[in-house]
Amino acid sequence: MGLTIVGTLPTFLPTTAHHRAVSGREAIVAWWLGLGGVVAIASGLWAPPELVGLGNLLVSAAAVMVLGGILVRLWRKGAGRLPFVQVSAGVTWLALWAAVDGIEILQTGSSPVFGGWAGAAVVAGVGQVLAGSLASIVPVLLGPPLGPAESILTRRRWVPLVLVNLGGLALVAGWEVVAVGAVGSWMVDLLARVAGLFRQNSLPDD
């Protein structure tokens, strides 16, 4: 799943910034890093677990390299668009999780089945990638006019960004109550946006 997300970034992330696909030489290096990471992780089935940790670090480096190349080129254009920021933040969480997990495996030979970092990766990582993807794709699927639909999904953009990333930080820190409150509020906000989108789409044409 991580490689799928990273592999589509040069095309999809620029789309959320209303820009053509971008990539540079770093994408080629990232491809080999990612491939090496997958081989190392898979070899952990019969080889020492430290190879899994090394694989995690390689995949994390691949994600950071691809994302960094895109942000350097498009940050000024995409920073004001909620889908662009959400997908970027989500991939950052996934890369951090892979790096932290990799370091822990290298140090101890094992990692927790589902710890705070894994929860943060699911909520603030995958969750933000999905939310940003929906905010970019759904208005296109609904067809013109795109403006009202995009406005409903992206207005007050600081609210979902603060809530979901606060939830991720709380999961890492072990603050269960804060995490539940922040993530729950983020889900309510997301559902409210989707409901508003359906209401807007059900209104009769003038």
Side-chain angles (χ1 to χ4, degrees):
M1 182 180 66
L3 284 177
T4 300
I5 292 172
V6 172
T8 57
L9 282 181
T11 299
F12 179 70
L13 193 54
T15 300
T16 64
H18 294 183
H19 193 280
R20 63 182 176 82
V22 301
S23 65
R25 294 180 179 177
E26 73 278 354
I28 298 174
V29 177
W31 156 253
W32 289 108
L33 286 174
L35 182 61
V38 170
V39 171
I41 291 171
S43 68
L45 292 171
W46 63 86
E50 285 76 15
L51 277 176
V52 178
L54 176 62
N56 278 11
L57 292 177
L58 291 176
V59 173
S60 175
V64 170
M65 189 167 289
V66 172
L67 180 62
I70 296 172
L71 293 181
V72 166
R73 295 179 178 90
L74 295 184
W75 179 253
R76 289 184 180 180
K77 186 173 182 63
R81 300 186 181 279
L82 179 60
F84 182 88
V85 178
Q86 282 182 317
V87 173
S88 300
V91 173
T92 300
W93 273 104
L94 291 173
L96 285 172
W97 167 56
V100 169
D101 207 47
I103 291 171
E104 184 169 359
I105 294 173
L106 287 174
Q107 290 178 339
T108 66
S110 64
S111 78
V113 176
F114 195 86
W117 271 103
V122 171
V123 174
V126 177
Q128 284 196 100
V129 170
L130 290 176
S133 301
L134 289 174
S136 179
I137 293 173
V138 169
V140 177
L141 295 177
L142 291 176
L146 299 179
E150 188 173 31
S151 175
I152 290 172
L153 290 172
T154 62
R155 64 189 176 191
R156 299 190 304 276
R157 58 182 177 270
W158 63 270
V159 174
L161 289 173
V162 169
L163 289 175
V164 69
N165 287 291
L166 175 61
L169 291 172
L171 285 168
V172 171
W175 302 335
E176 290 85 0
V177 175
V178 176
V180 170
V183 174
S185 299
W186 174 61
M187 293 296 295
V188 170
D189 177 77
L190 181 60
L191 291 174
R193 291 170 189 268
V194 173
L197 181 63
F198 278 103
R199 284 197 302 270
Q200 174 69 34
N201 196 47
S202 65
L203 293 177
D205 296 331
D206 293 334

